[in-house]
Amino acid sequence: MDATILAQQAINGLILGATYGLIAIGYTMVYGIIGMINFAHGEIYMVSAYLTAIFLALAQFAGITSIPATLVFVLFFTLLVTALHGWFAERIAYRPLRGSNRLAPLITAIGLSLVLQNYVRLSQGARSQGIPSLMQGSFILPIGSAGGSVQITHVQLLIIVVAFLGMAVLTFIMHRTSLGRACRATEQDLTMAALLGIDTDRIISIVFVIGAAMAAVAGVLVSLNYGSFDFHIGFITGIKAFTAAVLGGIGSLPGAMLGGLILGLSESFFSGFVNTDYKDVFAFALLVLVLIFRPSGLLGQPMVTKV
Amino acid sequence: MGNKLFHPLATGFLVWILTLPISGVVLDGYFFSFHWQPPLVLALAAFLFHSGILAVRWWHSFGKLLKEKRGLGDCPQGFDFAVDQSSLSRSTRTLPKGAILMALPMIVGGVLPFFLNKYWLTVAILALIYVLLALGLNIVVGLAGMLDLGFVAFYAVGAYGYALGHEYLGLGFWSSLPLGAMLAAGFGVVLGFPVLRMHGDYLAIVTLGFGEIIRLVLNNWVSFTGGPNGVRVPGPTLPGLEFTRRAKEGSIPVHEFLGIDYSANHRIVFIYLVLFMVVLATIFLVTRLKNMPLGRSWEALREDEIACRSLGINHVTVKLSAFALGAMIGGIGGVFFAASQGFVNPTSFTFFESALILAIVVLGGLGSIPGVIIAAIVITILPEVLRDFSDYRVLVFGLAMVIMMIWRPRGLVRSVRPVFREHVR
């Protein structure tokens, strides 16, 4: 096996994995607190990809030319609007159903994901959209024998830096601030937290907002990296991010990132060395196998149902 | 009181902010154009909607107040043993009415193909196929309470079972029908076994993954399944008779046998009639199963799995039987789909199909057989009637799923069961 190709695939996988990890945070936090899969989370990521392109165009319209300023502008507004989408989703589709049977919120989640997908398709058209590459240029690192080298573009570097920065900030919030303490308390026992004076409705809203914001970061970075997207991307990426969350142990923040990286790396190696056509099959098969054999994931605790 | 105006206004404003970038700014390559109206309309709709809810609530509380003033609206003390009479005594008292209700659709359905043109006949076939699929999914989701998001996999197994069975083994329609059903049921068991231990959400995701795996394999295994190009499927035959203008060696075309003129419609009418029979048989089967011990255990398991297992219900067989039966009905639907289309390819078996069937089951009412049948027919016919509306179809399905779950989680036509109500003040 060529060391150069191996290194290049590893880098690609790392970047893929970082984005999966960012999106997986939304799944893992929501699951940790209210124990449901937010099926529409993938669509929120898709919406943020569209918003990136739209705010990029608006930035040009507003006469912002310098690249860092554009990036900040795009990131800020995309985050804002996407987070609002997350908040709205919870408010409309999940909050009215709190305390009903388990099937109902899942069905509204599927309904919501259909609504978001088709809302974007109807207003933006079905064909795939592109955005101009903002940051060109890349680092070339010599690796392997015979003058082989691997390439990391600036955007890819940015993805890795922002993903880990995002994780660090989030971990800090969850473990060092009072908000994080309230979140963790709600996660442990919702009723008890409510009895002790924590506004659990507010905490759940905040969790949705944080999850959507992380998906927005992923959306911005991925669309800057690939430059094209369509209204379908939310579905498959959402499932893969969910796989990452389950793999790492759903409910655990470092687990989401770990699961994302493992999934990204293995998917990248699979498509590089085995077969590109079946890489989605591989991801789905991995999901099914993990759920069957180790549903608590790598870093999660097994759940016990008491009678 | 200030909330009466403030909350709807805030809702409208939020919706405006929310929708402004996506539907107000439309991308066109690297440029964009402004479309101000849609966000405004949406915001106005949200405002009116919220105001409407507040108004209804206000009237409701006002009415309650009036009732209390007049001393009405008190519940009597003690127990109120309210058993729904109609569902208990249906077998004796309401038999004639029920028989008429049953016979009418049967006659209408049976006579229908002789009055419809080819286009509406294909629509009717599609509607019946969706009735089959919805009945199958209704067993899994509605009765047994397992959210199956990959139901389309069994549909695909049935359709491809027929297509590939013909391609490689030379099977005809009549041998494919039971074989496709068995094959799909087998897939149902294979999938059912590992997911038995899972909770609702994990089960949903695993079935979704399974459905996608099947579709991706069908799409990528080009040498075996033809990949995106699909496989041609022959039409069904009466044994020994074919629905073609000129028959192959050793068989006679139907029109020569009957001594009538050739018409391309015969084949479709034939498919319709066979399908209609199968749908009737399925309805009969499912209705009976629902009231049998097996059906009761499905519903009991849906309501409380832990209690059922403590009472000694074997959850493995009960869940597997639901999965296998649902899959089998889905497989039969697939065989008919392949036969009526004359062609199958993977684009017919996307996640959207699963979501659509689920939408039908949800709208009809989880577990309610008449509701699901009506919903299937309405949802397949409606887009044909309202052609201009077809773009918004999926959006409306999604909205309907959300609204239904919030307002009427048991569907438009709820299934009625004897209930015990307890009123204690």
Side-chain angles (χ1 to χ4, degrees):
Chain A
M1 206 180 288
D2 192 354
T4 314
I5 301 175
L6 196 72
Q8 187 69 60
Q9 290 296 347
I11 287 170
N12 292 347
L14 215 60
I15 286 145
L16 203 61
T19 58
Y20 288 157
L22 279 176
I23 305 167
I25 289 168
Y27 285 108
T28 220
M29 287 181 78
V30 167
Y31 195 92
I33 285 199
I34 52 174
M36 67 160 282
I37 298 170
N38 176 12
F39 223 97
H41 191 57
E43 310 317 326
I44 298 230
Y45 158 78
M46 179 271 295
V47 165
S48 85
Y50 270 89
L51 287 171
T52 307
I54 287 164
F55 282 116
L56 209 59
L58 285 178
Q60 279 174 346
F61 182 71
I64 301 172
T65 46
S66 86
I67 287 172
T70 315
L71 270 181
V72 169
F73 178 88
V74 168
L75 199 62
F76 178 76
F77 281 103
T78 307
L79 260 166
L80 199 72
V81 180
T82 312
L84 201 60
H85 271 88
W87 181 81
F88 230 65
E90 195 268 337
R91 195 72 191 75
I92 288 174
Y94 307 134
R95 186 175 293 182
L97 288 168
R98 208 161 296 151
S100 65
N101 67 353
R102 293 174 72 92
L103 217 56
L106 261 179
I107 292 173
T108 51
I110 295 163
L112 192 68
S113 111
L114 286 180
V115 168
L116 278 174
Q117 217 179 77
N118 283 278
Y119 164 59
V120 171
R121 179 178 67 90
L122 287 171
S123 50
Q124 297 286 341
R127 70 206 161 86
S128 95
Q129 302 278 357
I131 57 172
S133 55
L134 268 189
M135 300 164 71
Q136 275 143 346
S138 54
F139 298 106
I140 311 267
L141 306 172
I143 279 182
S145 56
S149 62
V150 295
Q151 191 184 22
I152 310 178
T153 62
H154 291 171
V155 179
Q156 288 175 329
L157 208 63
L158 186 74
I159 289 178
I160 295 197
V161 169
V162 172
F164 283 93
L165 209 66
M167 274 307 292
V169 169
L170 207 57
T171 314
F172 176 80
I173 292 176
M174 291 304 279
H175 289 272
R176 288 282 182 275
T177 63
S178 59
L179 174 70
R181 201 158 50 236
C183 280
R184 281 181 291 140
T186 314
E187 200 169 320
Q188 290 221 328
D189 192 333
L190 198 127
T191 326
M192 200 60 211
L195 283 175
L196 292 177
I198 293 172
D199 186 351
T200 47
D201 271 351
R202 190 174 137 260
I203 295 295
I204 292 171
S205 288
I206 286 174
V207 162
F208 270 86
V209 164
I210 292 176
M214 287 294 152
V217 173
V220 172
L221 295 173
V222 170
S223 32
L224 283 179
N225 189 22
Y226 293 118
S228 83
F229 48 84
D230 58 45
F231 72 101
H232 272 309
I233 58 167
F235 175 66
I236 204 128
T237 317
I239 299 289
K240 284 181 182 168
F242 178 74
T243 308
V246 171
L247 191 62
I250 199 150
S252 137
L253 273 185
M257 211 60 203
L258 182 70
L261 290 180
I262 292 175
L263 181 68
L265 282 173
S266 46
E267 194 186 313
S268 166
F269 286 133
F270 185 86
S271 61
F273 298 111
V274 186
N275 192 329
T276 319
D277 290 342
Y278 287 99
K279 73 173 171 33
D280 291 347
V281 176
F282 169 75
F284 286 124
L286 192 68
L287 170 69
V288 173
L289 289 177
V290 172
L291 280 180
I292 290 169
F293 292 112
R294 203 180 156 77
S296 54
L298 296 172
L299 299 183
Q301 273 101 40
M303 275 197 294
V304 182
T305 312
K306 283 191 198 131
V307 184
Chain B
M1 276 297 156
N3 287 350
K4 294 266 175 328
L5 191 63
F6 174 71
H7 276 164
L9 264 182
T11 316
F13 184 66
L14 273 177
V15 167
W16 197 57
I17 300 253
L18 210 66
T19 53
L20 196 62
I22 294 269
S23 60
V25 183
V26 176
L27 285 171
D28 180 23
Y30 291 165
F31 300 100
F32 60 90
S33 50
F34 289 111
H35 293 258
W36 292 116
Q37 295 90 345
L40 275 177
V41 171
L42 283 171
L44 196 67
F47 171 75
L48 290 177
F49 181 74
H50 201 153
S51 317
I53 287 184
L54 284 185
V56 167
R57 261 193 211 154
W58 189 74
W59 270 111
H60 191 71
S61 59
F62 186 65
K64 229 184 205 166
L65 202 77
L66 277 185
K67 253 187 186 172
E68 269 168 22
K69 279 268 165 63
R70 278 194 264 149
L72 295 171
D74 256 357
C75 254
Q77 280 268 333
F79 299 109
D80 169 17
F81 185 55
V83 173
D84 191 290
Q85 291 295 323
S86 66
S87 79
L88 279 186
S89 55
R90 189 172 46 199
S91 52
T92 52
R93 202 162 44 114
T94 55
L95 185 69
K97 205 172 148 194
I100 294 169
L101 270 177
M102 292 285 278
L104 201 68
M106 274 164 79
I107 294 168
V108 170
V111 176
L112 209 61
F114 305 106
F115 294 103
L116 292 178
N117 61 15
K118 192 177 172 185
Y119 172 72
W120 282 106
L121 210 52
T122 32
V123 173
I125 287 178
L126 203 65
L128 283 183
I129 289 175
Y130 276 107
V131 169
L132 262 187
L133 292 175
L135 283 172
L137 189 64
N138 190 35
I139 292 179
V140 185
V141 181
L143 296 180
M146 300 184 281
L147 187 55
D148 183 353
L149 294 181
F151 192 67
V152 80
F154 307 125
Y155 185 39
V157 165
Y160 266 89
Y162 179 23
L164 297 176
H166 176 79
E167 181 106 349
Y168 294 106
L169 305 171
L171 294 177
F173 176 74
W174 290 105
S175 40
S176 293
L177 197 58
L179 282 179
M182 302 289 261
L183 195 66
F187 267 83
V189 172
V190 167
L191 173 65
F193 247 113
V195 301
L196 281 178
R197 298 187 302 166
M198 289 173 190
H199 299 289
D201 326 37
Y202 278 6
L203 184 108
I205 288 283
V206 167
T207 48
L208 175 96
F210 180 72
E212 281 299 296
I213 288 176
I214 294 259
R215 186 182 67 81
L216 288 165
V217 168
L218 289 177
N219 206 19
N220 287 315
W221 196 359
V222 179
S223 59
F224 182 62
T225 64
N229 299 326
V231 195
R232 273 176 45 76
V233 186
T237 53
L238 273 170
L241 306 174
E242 288 191 10
F243 289 93
T244 44
R245 187 178 289 277
R246 250 179 240 115
K248 279 178 284 189
E249 288 173 51
S251 60
I252 323 166
V254 167
H255 63 100
E256 280 178 21
F257 183 78
L258 293 175
I260 48 175
D261 286 338
Y262 171 76
S263 153
N265 270 2
H266 288 161
R267 191 175 62 85
I268 303 176
V269 171
F270 177 68
I271 294 177
Y272 177 87
L273 288 176
V274 176
L275 180 57
F276 189 65
M277 295 296 174
V278 171
V279 168
L280 285 185
T282 311
I283 294 172
F284 180 74
L285 177 86
V286 177
T287 329
R288 281 305 159 103
L289 270 175
K290 195 180 161 185
N291 291 324
M292 272 163 60
L294 185 64
R296 300 275 179 175
S297 2
W298 286 339
E299 289 191 280
L301 214 62
R302 172 189 73 192
E303 296 304 329
D304 194 336
E305 178 166 346
I306 294 169
C308 283
R309 284 168 69 172
S310 339
L311 288 172
I313 289 177
N314 185 350
H315 72 292
V316 176
T317 43
V318 173
K319 279 187 173 179
L320 271 188
S321 62
F323 240 95
L325 261 171
M328 194 181 87
I329 297 174
I332 295 174
V335 173
F336 275 102
F337 176 75
S340 70
Q341 299 281 314
F343 173 78
V344 286
N345 81 345
T347 50
S348 315
F349 308 107
T350 54
F351 170 68
F352 169 67
E353 283 302 307
S354 288
L356 178 64
I357 306 166
L358 184 68
I360 290 173
V361 173
V362 169
L363 292 182
L366 294 168
S368 146
I369 293 165
V372 163
I373 295 168
I374 295 167
I377 294 173
V378 168
I379 279 183
T380 33
I381 306 262
L382 210 61
E384 302 296 331
V385 180
L386 309 166
R387 263 279 142 211
D388 303 336
F389 176 74
S390 63
D391 262 1
Y392 297 90
R393 195 167 70 120
V394 191
L395 186 78
V396 171
F397 287 163
L399 276 178
M401 277 163 94
V402 176
I403 293 170
M404 284 297 287
M405 275 298 117
I406 292 169
W407 275 334
R408 301 203 65 154
R410 301 240 83 128
L412 287 175
V413 186
R414 301 158 193 232
S415 57
V416 189
R417 270 286 152 87
V419 284
F420 178 75
R421 277 196 208 92
E422 197 178 326
H423 291 298
V424 186
R425 269 281 169 92

